[in-house]
Amino acid sequence: MELYRGIPVSPGVAIGPALILDAAGMRIPQRRITPQMTEEEILRIHQALAVASAQTRETQQSISDRLGKHYGAIFAAHRLLLEDTSFIAELESLIRHETVSAETAVSRVIRDYVKTLESLGSDQSLALRAADLVDVEKRIQQELHGETIDPLKNLEDPVIILANDLSPSETASLDSKKVFAFATEHGGKTSHSAILANALQIPAVVGIGPVINSLNGSEIVIVDGTQGLLIINPDSPTIQRYRSILREQQHHAYRWIEHRDLLAQTRDGVRVELFANIEFPQESSQVTIRGAEGVGLYRTEFLYVGRTCDPTEEEHYQAYMSVIREVGNDRPIVIRTLDLGADKFPHMLRTYTPEKNPALGLRSVRFCLRNLPIFRTQLRAILRAALHGKVQMMFPMISTLLEIRQCKMILAEVCEDLHEEGIPFKKDIRIGTMIEVPSAAIMADHLAREVDFFSIGTNDLVQYTLATDRTNEMVANLFSATDPSVLYLIELVVQAVKKHQIELTICGEMSGEPLYIPLLLGMGIRRFSATPAKIPEVKKIIRLLDIPTTEQIAQTALRLETARDITSFLNRQWRQLFPDQVD
Ligand code: PEP
Ligand code: MG
């Protein structure tokens, strides 16, 4: 049994067979054959090795010609393995005696070599050799497979995915009936894949570090998305313990229902509003089921999942109408305009050119303002749908005053067009901006004059304030919503909305974290928007608090100097306030 620690991003536990996806998204195969097929499989392996060896010889030659013999020698070493008689004998023996396919045999033998190399310590040159072995395996597997197939499509049996990384679009297309959980070597707490795992209610752990190269796909694994653990080949006491946690999990799955219809109101009668963040129209049913009062953030960029072209106006419109129908035309629905780019579907954009720093590049509203047909198409659809419900429009990643003014100008033009075309639309739609870039928080006093509401996106606000990539596990320790600099910016925003009497919501992952609720309430925030699954718990916490206590907590927290001090203080307060709920 091996245990790895990572970052817990989506709660719950799962036990099941591993499906391993390496850095190239290649699936580590597991297939058995009948005894009659063994000679055929052995022939396949010989053919694949011969082709792979010939290809490697060519690569060796061309690299030697271009870069010198020294570099070509790397591929000479690959060939040595491909032609090594004991390697081939091991493969044949596995196929014959364990009746596994050629692909499985290659994967098992090479991954055993990798494991042995890695067990010899952290010697850099050995690590490189391990990477070479994986490269050789890839070449043989490609030969065996022929063309590559999408390993996540048409899964027959339920699996737990262990991957180098999962892109937001890969995560978005996971079928939660077939994927019990996932764990990735890379990723951060507020990466979009993590947010999607929550939306899909798939237990997940990210940032576990290098593990998959030493696995061969025959493992049984446990993912504990609550504690942030990945357990490979658990022993039987561990399996038993987790089976009972699973039973408990299933038993309590609907415990939250008791809070659903209660009002989000503090003990001293202060009304708080709770909204849900959604990514897909299909999630809309969860909004009311979980007791949210509407949609505080609809991330429309997920309309791009599984597509090769831009959604049409009609497709946008139908998606928004289905949310309105499901959530109800009397509940607020905040539709955020496309936040494409950075880690969200950059390669699907027709105008995409690779950027050195995509998170600081042509992302989000900047992209829309440079690609007006795409932007206008979406604005038209939102304005049309807004006639049928309490729809509001929100612009993401606004970093200057000029940007929000440009958005308003385009919106006015689009209204004009619709009017001239005689198409019915909502004329006085409420508009808002996300505050998720430090410059927007600093300029909140000015921005507040331009819009009807603000929504603080703490995921990006933390990322950009602390210069810490939200998707990078190597800096996950620096990514902290309680850093005094972040709280200082939130305070600026709260002051601006009070002065200008506009609405304020907080919609980053911070708003669904029970530990932060007392602090945020104490700072004056009265509207929260969180993943639907988090709503009942947040409501429960709100109902146990009173405002004077939260104000005292906020006052003390805001005097502290480091994120660690503030988090420890909040934890101590939590233990005092809710001694029964300390987990
Ligand atoms: C945020 O940045 O906090 C936010 C809500 O937007 P997203 O997570 O979609 O970037
Ligand atoms: Mg954001």
Side-chain angles (χ1 to χ4, degrees):
M1 169 164 121
E2 289 168 48
L3 188 137
Y4 296 85
R5 262 176 210 287
I7 306 168
V9 292
S10 181
V13 304
I15 308 175
L19 185 158
I20 318 249
L21 296 179
D22 67 11
M26 193 176 75
R27 177 180 181 160
I28 310 300
Q30 266 311 302
R31 188 164 62 84
R32 299 204 84 86
I33 54 168
T34 58
Q36 294 78 0
M37 290 163 75
T38 50
E39 292 316 311
E40 202 182 307
E41 280 310 280
I42 287 171
L43 189 66
R44 276 182 74 225
I45 212 116
H46 278 283
Q47 284 167 344
L49 290 174
V51 177
S53 170
Q55 282 173 349
T56 312
R57 188 192 300 272
E58 276 172 33
T59 317
Q60 180 188 347
Q61 193 57 53
S62 81
I63 296 287
S64 302
D65 293 346
R66 272 193 293 148
L67 303 172
K69 283 210 162 72
H70 187 62
Y71 288 97
I74 298 171
F75 297 94
H78 288 197
R79 262 185 49 223
L80 276 182
L81 177 68
L82 287 163
E83 292 166 12
D84 184 80
T85 47
S86 59
F87 170 57
I88 298 171
E90 265 190 82
L91 295 174
E92 288 183 358
S93 155
L94 255 185
I95 295 173
R96 273 208 185 94
H97 301 119
E98 297 203 21
T99 51
V100 293
S101 69
E103 290 90 340
T104 308
V106 170
S107 168
R108 282 209 199 159
V109 172
I110 294 195
R111 271 148 217 267
D112 270 351
Y113 292 175
V114 170
K115 221 174 187 165
T116 314
L117 273 186
E118 287 179 345
S119 69
L120 295 178
S122 55
D123 182 340
Q124 197 58 22
S125 61
L126 290 180
L128 281 178
R129 297 259 160 79
D132 276 337
L133 286 172
V134 174
D135 221 29
V136 172
E137 185 201 338
K138 232 169 253 171
R139 208 183 265 269
I140 309 173
Q141 296 288 12
Q142 252 160 22
E143 257 338 287
L144 288 166
H145 275 304
E147 69 187 86
T148 45
I149 38 164
D150 182 349
L152 296 176
K153 279 229 171 89
N154 308 323
L155 290 172
E156 277 166 19
D157 299 311
V159 291
I160 292 185
I161 293 178
L162 306 188
N164 176 261
D165 204 357
L166 287 176
S167 69
S169 49
E170 282 168 335
T171 313
S173 58
L174 295 180
D175 174 356
S176 55
K177 288 194 199 78
K178 289 286 160 59
V179 177
F180 283 169
F182 71 78
T184 57
E185 294 183 326
H186 297 291
K189 197 164 179 65
T190 65
S191 59
H192 290 100
S193 294
I195 290 171
L196 285 166
N198 264 293
L200 298 166
Q201 293 175 49
I202 298 178
V205 179
V206 301
I208 44 175
V211 47
I212 58 174
N213 274 352
S214 58
L215 305 178
N216 63 30
S218 64
E219 296 82 3
I220 291 292
V221 296
I222 293 175
V223 165
D224 181 339
T226 312
Q227 306 286 335
L229 299 177
L230 166 68
I231 305 170
I232 313 273
N233 290 330
D235 56 23
S236 57
T238 308
I239 293 189
Q240 270 169 24
R241 190 159 57 82
Y242 270 95
R243 287 231 168 96
S244 93
I245 295 176
L246 252 178
R247 277 194 296 275
E248 185 92 336
Q249 187 174 296
Q250 278 149 5
H251 181 67
H252 289 303
Y254 293 101
R255 202 174 39 173
W256 46 265
I257 279 210
E258 61 200 66
H259 306 288
R260 187 180 64 184
D261 301 322
L262 298 175
L263 215 54
Q265 178 170 297
T266 58
R267 266 173 43 196
D268 51 340
V270 174
R271 182 75 167 86
V272 177
E273 286 172 283
L274 268 184
F275 297 96
N277 295 346
I278 60 167
E279 283 72 35
F280 312 105
Q282 301 87 294
E283 266 181 283
S284 307
S285 60
Q286 289 297 310
V287 176
T288 42
I289 288 178
R290 301 273 172 167
E293 295 169 52
V295 175
L297 167 65
Y298 173 16
R299 291 179 164 105
T300 56
E301 52 278 6
F302 287 91
L303 284 168
Y304 274 76
V305 170
R307 297 184 62 98
T308 48
C309 56
D310 301 322
T312 61
E313 180 179 326
E314 196 51 27
E315 285 168 327
H316 275 285
Y317 176 75
Q318 288 306 337
Y320 308 150
M321 286 306 293
S322 77
V323 176
I324 296 169
R325 276 194 294 272
E326 187 68 53
V327 174
N329 58 9
D330 53 340
R331 294 170 188 264
I333 297 170
V334 178
I335 302 182
R336 182 175 76 180
T337 61
L338 297 168
D339 182 10
L340 294 163
D343 63 329
K344 279 189 268 188
F345 320 116
H347 53 285
M348 289 185 201
L349 306 175
R350 267 179 295 143
T351 49
Y352 171 67
T353 39
E355 297 175 279
K356 280 194 184 144
N357 289 304
L360 301 179
L362 198 61
R363 174 187 167 185
S364 199
V365 80
R366 302 171 181 181
F367 170 83
C368 287
L369 289 171
R370 288 276 188 92
N371 292 277
L372 290 178
I374 294 178
F375 197 27
R376 285 180 204 272
T377 300
Q378 181 176 35
L379 298 189
R380 286 171 67 99
I382 298 175
L383 288 167
R384 286 172 51 208
L387 265 189
H388 307 279
K390 280 177 87 175
V391 170
Q392 309 177 30
M393 185 187 291
M394 177 158 75
F395 301 105
M397 275 281 291
I398 293 288
S399 50
T400 71
L401 220 67
L402 216 57
E403 268 173 346
I404 190 70
R405 287 184 185 150
Q406 274 178 292
C407 291
K408 286 166 69 179
M409 214 171 68
I410 312 260
L411 181 62
E413 285 170 12
V414 170
C415 288
E416 188 88 16
D417 290 349
L418 287 169
H419 177 72
E420 276 173 17
E421 292 165 41
I423 297 172
F425 68 99
K426 174 114 174 115
K427 296 201 170 60
D428 50 354
I429 190 164
R430 283 169 57 79
I431 61 161
T433 173
M434 291 210 55
I435 303 285
E436 48 184 349
V437 181
S439 60
I442 293 165
M443 294 298 284
D445 190 25
H446 299 268
L447 278 172
R449 296 197 183 98
E450 303 283 340
V451 291
D452 302 304
F453 64 93
F454 281 166
S455 192
I456 301 179
T458 50
N459 307 335
D460 279 314
L461 190 61
V462 175
Q463 154 163 274
Y464 293 121
T465 305
L466 296 169
T468 303
D469 181 351
R470 62 195 267 191
T471 67
N472 184 346
E473 72 287 353
M474 286 189 282
V475 288
N477 61 325
L478 296 173
F479 190 96
S480 176
T482 56
D483 193 273
S485 58
V486 176
L487 298 183
Y488 174 74
L489 292 177
I490 296 179
E491 252 198 311
L492 280 185
V493 180
V494 172
Q495 282 164 12
V497 300
K498 277 195 184 139
K499 179 168 158 198
H500 296 278
Q501 295 288 301
I502 65 167
E503 274 171 10
L504 172 65
T505 306
I506 185 157
C507 69
E509 295 310 287
M510 186 184 192
S511 56
E513 287 281 342
L515 183 68
Y516 302 144
I517 302 300
L519 171 68
L520 294 171
L521 279 176
M523 289 177 76
I525 289 170
R526 298 290 179 267
R527 298 169 135 237
F528 295 76
S529 190
T531 305
K534 301 271 179 76
I535 299 287
E537 199 180 0
V538 172
K539 192 186 281 187
K540 180 173 150 195
I541 301 301
I542 289 170
R543 291 179 57 83
L544 292 169
L545 291 163
D546 62 77
I547 294 298
T549 307
T550 65
E551 284 174 347
Q552 266 176 15
I553 290 174
Q555 265 172 30
T556 310
L558 292 172
R559 280 201 297 267
L560 299 174
E561 287 179 333
T562 67
R564 193 194 295 184
D565 290 345
I566 297 177
T567 307
S568 316
F569 169 70
L570 294 178
N571 272 314
R572 284 199 301 280
Q573 292 298 308
W574 185 269
R575 282 195 284 275
Q576 274 177 27
L577 286 166
F578 312 118
D580 311 336
Q581 295 199 32
V582 177
D583 185 353

